[in-house]
Amino acid sequence: MLMRLLFLLSCFHLFILTNSSSSTHPLCHEDESSALWQFKESFSISEHASDDPSAYPKVASWKLQGESNNCCLWDGVECDEGTGHVIGLDLSSSFLYGSINSNSSLFRLAHLQRLHLADNDFNYSQIPPAIGNLSELRSLNLFLSSFRGQIPLEISMLTQLTSLNLSFNPLKLHKPSLGTLVQNLTRISELSLSNVSISSEVPDVLANLPSLTSIFLKNCGLHGEFPIGIFHLRKLQALSVLFNQNLTGYLPEFHQSNPLKILKLAGTSFSGKLPSSIGNLSSLSYLYLSGCYFSGSLPASLSNLTQLTLLYLDHNSFNGQIPSLASLSQLTSLSLSFNEFNQRTLPWIGKLKKLFELDLGGINLYGEIPVSLANLTQLAYFSFIDNNLAGQIPSWLMNLTQLTEIDLSSNQLQGPVPSSFSELKNLEIIGLAENKLIGTVDMDIFLKLKNLVGLQLSDNNLSLHISNNNYSINATLPKFEPLCHDDEISALSQFKQSFSINRRASDDPSTYPKVVLWKLQGEGNDCCSWDGIECDEGTGHVIGLNLTSSLLYGSINSNSSLFRLVHLQRLHLADNHFNYSQIPSRIGHLLELRSLDLSYSVFSGQFPTNIFHLPKLQVLSL
Ligand SMILES: *[C@@H]1O[C@H](CO)[C@@H](O)[C@H](O)[C@H]1NC(C)=O
Ligand SMILES: *[C@@H]1O[C@H](CO)[C@@H](O)[C@H](O)[C@H]1NC(C)=O
Ligand SMILES: *[C@@H]1O[C@H](CO)[C@@H](O)[C@H](O)[C@H]1NC(C)=O
Ligand SMILES: *[C@@H]1O[C@H](CO)[C@@H](O)[C@H](O)[C@H]1NC(C)=O
Ligand SMILES: *[C@@H]1O[C@H](CO)[C@@H](O)[C@H](O)[C@H]1NC(C)=O
Ligand SMILES: *[C@@H]1O[C@H](CO)[C@@H](O)[C@H](O)[C@H]1NC(C)=O
Ligand SMILES: *[C@@H]1O[C@H](CO)[C@@H](O)[C@H](O)[C@H]1NC(C)=O
Ligand SMILES: *[C@@H]1O[C@H](CO)[C@@H](O)[C@H](O)[C@H]1NC(C)=O
Ligand SMILES: *[C@@H]1O[C@H](CO)[C@@H](O)[C@H](O)[C@H]1NC(C)=O
Ligand SMILES: *[C@@H]1O[C@H](CO)[C@@H](O)[C@H](O)[C@H]1NC(C)=O
Ligand SMILES: *[C@@H]1O[C@H](CO)[C@@H](O)[C@H](O)[C@H]1NC(C)=O
Ligand SMILES: *[C@@H]1O[C@H](CO)[C@@H](O)[C@H](O)[C@H]1NC(C)=O
């Protein structure tokens, strides 16, 4: 009895499996199988053909023999469950490389509804006019796949199309024009032609395509005035016309039911005000208006856009007060920089707890860096450049442990550079230039930051030094004088102290005592900036000492601190008075010396011959 039940159960199981398998995988039609196979054979597989990191050669698993010869089972192929016809082909990111033309067997797949070949390399072929034969096509995606030339008129005949994505190919849409191409595509919902050269006005006909949900026309050379009717398309959720520099336009009055989620107009010539009715865009999550010509004050209704995650209004001519944006609790990116606001502080900023990126440069902010920023623990990037912020760099800055980039340049900040910067391990860029910071900065603070690639400290009253040379510095230190090493500073100062200054020590009336200007304390303590001293720009080591005609009076012996300057390449001590002392043979141990000048300097005795053996010496003047 039990056996029988098990047997029945397993039959039942088997039945289900067979049934489900036959219903999702009908048998492929012979002619379509061979068309697909020929299509595959017309390409080579090249890893350079696809950019996506998850790309792999889908066609590599296709087989003509054995169990998987049914093309409906092939990776990327989809068949109609009823008829068995191939209705979908998705070979996006499949390493396909090669040319394609109207003779391609692809165009024998007359039932295709979806053709996705994005992210392959079609070797700058034209889009074959035979594409017009695929009259069932609903979705065509040739994004980033190296097609070139004019987009064929035949695409305009694919009246079933709901999605067309030809972005990021060096394509043209001149003849036919954008208007001609889309005028009969009445079902089109997604239209993506970014980076295609269109070079025309935006056709009014777009506003008559009621199914449009997204329009992506970034960097298409569009000009003229943007048809305002497009904003009123009832289903439009995403509009991007980024970086069409000569495209003008205005924002309309927005109605309450407007479903816009994404609005990107940056880098165009849109102008005028943000209408108060922008507050009606209750679904808006992405508002990117950087670098246009917008003006006027920001409407208080911005605070009603509670779904916003990104708000970029920088580089416009907005003025007046900035309304409180405290209610925009989803914001991760906020940029208001370089406008003409006269709001001197932003007391609400600490409420935006999800902020990751904050750019408030050049907007006339006053006062101290707001302590409420300490609440923004997600901040990775923030810039306050070009404001009037005063006070010290606050110690709570170190609470922002996610920071990778901070720019406080061109403010009025005072006091020292806090050594706790070294705790912000993720920092890549630090900008503190053009402030009123004072004190000595121990470079070790920054050298501990292993990700640091940029550091700007110029135009402050800072002195810098490296106390330790165990680090190999690959960070760029813009505008820095090379930094002096502690041990070399002390060697030089001892050397200075072993002489007196004697007006009679030199015959040249224009001479002056260079060493007198050397300072050990305060602002001038970087020996690399001392008169007569040359440091290596990379390592900061002293490589040149030129005290020619410096009124030095005294003697040099083998114990002189001079010999601790082991990196010296040039030693010029001519026209001083060394009081008939012997030339120390230890000069012959300065193995880097290329040039040595001891002329007119009142040495006596034997010349140490080991100096002749210095491996790099090129110039010797006695
Ligand atoms: C790519 O195109 C060039 C020029 O049209 C042609 O010579 C070459 O054979 C093509 N390469 C492939 C793999 O189709
Ligand atoms: C298509 O094939 C035909 C016949 O093989 C040939 O004459 C024609 O030049 C081909 N067309 C293209 C665009 O390669
Ligand atoms: C495309 O359709 C035309 C007209 O229906 C036909 O003459 C032509 O052979 C078709 N081309 C291909 C590649 O199937
Ligand atoms: C987009 O077009 C610009 C030139 O207008 C070109 O420099 C850029 O490489 C293109 N980008 C892509 C992804 O094709
Ligand atoms: C669009 O459809 C109209 C009417 O059917 C037709 O006259 C016109 O030629 C079509 N335009 C294109 C570009 O296919
Ligand atoms: C275009 O296709 C690419 C690749 O499939 C996709 O990532 C992108 O989101 C598509 N663009 C639009 C606007 O649908
Ligand atoms: C914008 O228009 C100016 C003046 O007509 C022209 O010089 C410039 O090339 C245009 N820019 C683009 C991106 O088309
Ligand atoms: C925000 O929306 C509410 C409800 O629609 C409305 O009463 C209020 O006036 C709006 N606030 C602003 C500042 O526009
Ligand atoms: C910082 O966060 C705390 C705790 O969430 C809150 O009480 C305080 O008001 C916030 N400070 C500011 C300035 O937003
Ligand atoms: C910074 O973090 C410390 C330790 O977590 C905390 O005690 C302090 O209140 C924080 N500072 C600010 C201004 O939030
Ligand atoms: C610094 O850069 C050089 C040359 O680019 C490289 O060889 C060296 O490994 C780098 N050092 C560190 C510590 O990154
Ligand atoms: C050394 O200094 C003297 C006087 O300051 C100057 O005339 C001479 O050019 C300098 N020599 C070198 C090699 O820099």
Side-chain angles (χ1 to χ4, degrees):
M1 180 64 185
L2 186 62
M3 285 279 283
R4 203 177 134 89
L5 188 62
L6 276 176
F7 176 76
L8 275 172
L9 276 174
S10 65
C11 278
F12 184 65
H13 193 60
L14 196 66
F15 169 77
I16 300 226
L17 273 180
T18 322
N19 191 38
S20 80
S21 144
S22 74
S23 76
T24 50
H25 299 297
L27 211 54
C28 183
H29 291 251
E30 187 92 16
D31 54 336
E32 294 182 337
S33 178
S34 90
L36 282 168
W37 190 263
Q38 276 182 42
F39 182 64
K40 154 191 148 78
E41 294 283 280
S42 67
F43 299 105
S44 51
I45 298 297
S46 164
E47 299 212 348
H48 303 294
S50 301
D51 283 353
D52 192 311
S54 64
Y56 68 95
K58 291 186 184 174
V59 297
S61 61
W62 291 9
K63 293 211 171 64
L64 280 180
Q65 260 79 47
E67 281 174 21
S68 49
N69 72 342
N70 178 2
C71 79
C72 298
L73 296 170
W74 290 352
D75 197 359
V77 177
E78 183 194 354
C79 294
D80 182 89
E81 288 187 22
T83 65
H85 284 301
V86 173
I87 56 169
L89 181 61
D90 181 353
L91 296 178
S92 300
S93 303
S94 292
F95 296 139
L96 298 180
Y97 172 57
S99 304
I100 181 170
N101 65 31
S102 277
N103 282 353
S104 169
S105 59
L106 176 68
F107 303 110
R108 303 207 307 258
L109 299 171
H111 301 274
L112 267 188
Q113 297 178 11
R114 279 171 289 285
L115 177 58
H116 293 182
L117 300 175
D119 188 28
N120 289 291
D121 184 347
F122 293 105
N123 193 25
Y124 298 108
S125 307
Q126 307 231 354
I127 297 178
I131 194 88
N133 282 34
L134 304 178
S135 58
E136 299 295 318
L137 269 191
R138 281 137 174 84
S139 175
L140 175 61
N141 189 341
L142 305 178
F143 174 93
L144 191 66
S145 46
S146 300
F147 280 102
R148 158 163 85 185
Q150 172 64 44
I151 294 174
L153 179 64
E154 282 74 5
I155 286 187
S156 73
M157 294 159 191
L158 302 173
T159 53
Q160 306 292 313
L161 271 186
T162 60
S163 175
L164 177 64
N165 187 345
L166 305 179
S167 291
F168 298 106
N169 288 289
L171 287 165
K172 287 189 289 202
L173 191 46
H174 298 167
K175 214 173 169 213
S177 65
L178 175 57
T180 308
L181 187 83
V182 300
Q183 68 184 20
N184 288 349
L185 303 183
T186 51
R187 301 186 181 185
I188 194 86
S189 161
E190 297 167 350
L191 179 64
S192 179
L193 298 169
S194 292
N195 243 37
V196 171
S197 163
I198 297 177
S199 306
S200 71
E201 300 195 356
V202 179
D204 287 322
V205 66
L206 281 185
N208 299 330
L209 297 170
S211 301
L212 277 171
T213 58
S214 63
I215 300 175
F216 290 91
L217 297 172
K218 169 177 163 181
N219 190 26
C220 294
L222 299 170
H223 51 79
E225 186 166 330
F226 188 80
I228 208 148
I230 292 176
F231 287 111
H232 297 309
L233 282 165
R234 292 185 160 270
K235 295 184 179 168
L236 194 67
Q237 295 180 9
L239 174 63
S240 164
V241 288
L242 294 170
F243 310 119
N244 290 285
Q245 186 194 332
N246 291 341
L247 182 65
T248 63
Y250 303 92
L251 293 181
E253 291 299 332
F254 291 104
H255 305 304
Q256 213 135 37
S257 53
N258 193 311
L260 262 188
K261 287 182 178 158
I262 295 173
L263 180 57
K264 302 187 191 180
L265 307 175
T268 65
S269 295
F270 268 72
S271 59
K273 295 185 167 196
L274 292 199
S276 182
S277 59
I278 201 165
N280 287 333
L281 299 177
S282 54
S283 305
L284 199 64
S285 75
Y286 211 99
L287 183 59
Y288 182 16
L289 306 181
S290 308
C292 297
Y293 296 89
F294 288 107
S295 57
S297 57
L298 298 181
S301 60
L302 273 183
S303 67
N304 266 357
L305 301 177
T306 52
Q307 299 306 305
L308 275 183
T309 58
L310 179 144
L311 177 59
Y312 280 173
L313 303 176
D314 54 289
H315 296 87
N316 279 287
S317 300
F318 290 117
N319 55 34
Q321 303 279 301
I322 302 171
S324 168
L325 302 177
S327 54
L328 307 187
S329 57
Q330 302 303 310
L331 268 191
T332 58
S333 300
L334 174 63
S335 178
L336 301 173
S337 61
F338 297 99
N339 280 289
E340 293 148 24
F341 297 122
N342 57 23
Q343 175 87 21
R344 294 158 72 97
T345 60
L346 299 176
W348 40 264
I349 202 77
K351 298 279 189 339
L352 305 177
K353 296 235 168 69
K354 292 193 178 167
L355 276 184
F356 165 80
E357 188 187 16
L358 176 61
D359 186 355
L360 299 175
I363 55 170
N364 296 317
L365 292 177
Y366 280 79
E368 302 205 336
I369 299 175
V371 65
S372 62
L373 280 181
N375 273 1
L376 308 183
T377 51
Q378 305 302 307
L379 267 190
Y381 168 90
F382 88 84
S383 167
F384 275 122
I385 63 167
D386 251 330
N387 281 293
N388 300 298
L389 295 174
Q392 302 210 354
I393 298 175
S395 59
W396 54 254
L397 215 51
M398 313 314 151
N399 285 23
L400 305 179
T401 53
Q402 304 301 307
L403 276 184
T404 60
E405 196 172 336
I406 177 169
D407 201 343
L408 300 172
S409 297
S410 301
N411 278 287
Q412 309 288 326
L413 296 170
Q414 297 149 2
V417 174
S419 60
S420 43
F421 264 112
S422 60
E423 292 160 26
L424 295 174
K425 300 286 181 221
N426 298 318
L427 276 175
E428 293 167 14
I429 293 180
I430 303 173
L432 300 174
E434 296 182 50
N435 277 289
K436 295 180 169 168
L437 301 170
I438 53 168
T440 300
V441 180
D442 186 348
M443 287 304 291
D444 278 7
I445 298 171
F446 299 114
L447 294 170
K448 280 178 191 156
L449 300 172
K450 294 300 173 209
N451 297 319
L452 197 66
V453 295
L455 172 61
Q456 286 196 315
L457 299 174
S458 56
D459 297 298
N460 282 291
N461 295 320
L462 294 171
S463 354
L464 308 161
H465 78 88
I466 296 184
S467 59
N468 176 333
N469 61 8
N470 291 332
Y471 296 103
S472 115
I473 309 175
N474 276 3
T476 43
L477 305 174
K479 293 197 194 172
F480 275 176
E481 293 294 325
L483 305 160
C484 206
H485 291 254
D486 280 352
D487 54 350
E488 295 180 338
I489 293 184
S490 82
L492 285 165
S493 83
Q494 280 177 38
F495 184 68
K496 166 187 169 175
Q497 280 156 16
S498 67
F499 298 100
S500 56
I501 301 301
N502 185 343
R503 280 271 149 211
R504 283 171 297 153
S506 169
D507 292 327
D508 183 345
S510 70
T511 57
Y512 66 102
K514 292 180 183 174
V515 295
V516 169
L517 301 174
W518 293 1
K519 286 208 185 99
L520 289 174
Q521 256 86 44
E523 285 172 38
N525 80 342
D526 178 8
C527 72
C528 297
S529 63
W530 288 349
D531 206 350
I533 306 252
E534 180 194 357
C535 290
D536 181 274
E537 288 197 359
T539 65
H541 285 299
V542 175
I543 55 170
L545 178 60
N546 177 5
L547 296 177
T548 297
S549 305
S550 290
L551 307 171
L552 296 178
Y553 183 80
S555 59
I556 304 180
N557 62 36
S558 276
N559 293 327
S560 170
S561 62
L562 176 70
F563 300 110
R564 304 213 303 263
L565 301 174
V566 294
H567 301 278
L568 273 182
Q569 297 176 14
R570 284 170 282 282
L571 176 59
H572 293 190
L573 299 173
D575 189 24
N576 288 291
H577 197 298
F578 293 113
N579 200 19
Y580 304 99
S581 58
Q582 287 246 353
I583 296 176
S585 63
R586 251 184 110 178
I587 289 181
H589 295 227
L590 296 173
L591 295 176
E592 294 301 314
L593 271 189
R594 282 125 170 103
S595 169
L596 176 63
D597 186 355
L598 301 176
S599 46
Y600 303 106
S601 48
V602 201
F603 280 104
S604 70
Q606 287 274 316
F607 185 80
T609 53
N610 62 345
I611 291 177
F612 294 122
H613 301 301
L614 281 168
K616 297 179 179 167
L617 196 67
Q618 292 156 358
V619 179
L620 176 60
S621 182
L622 299 170

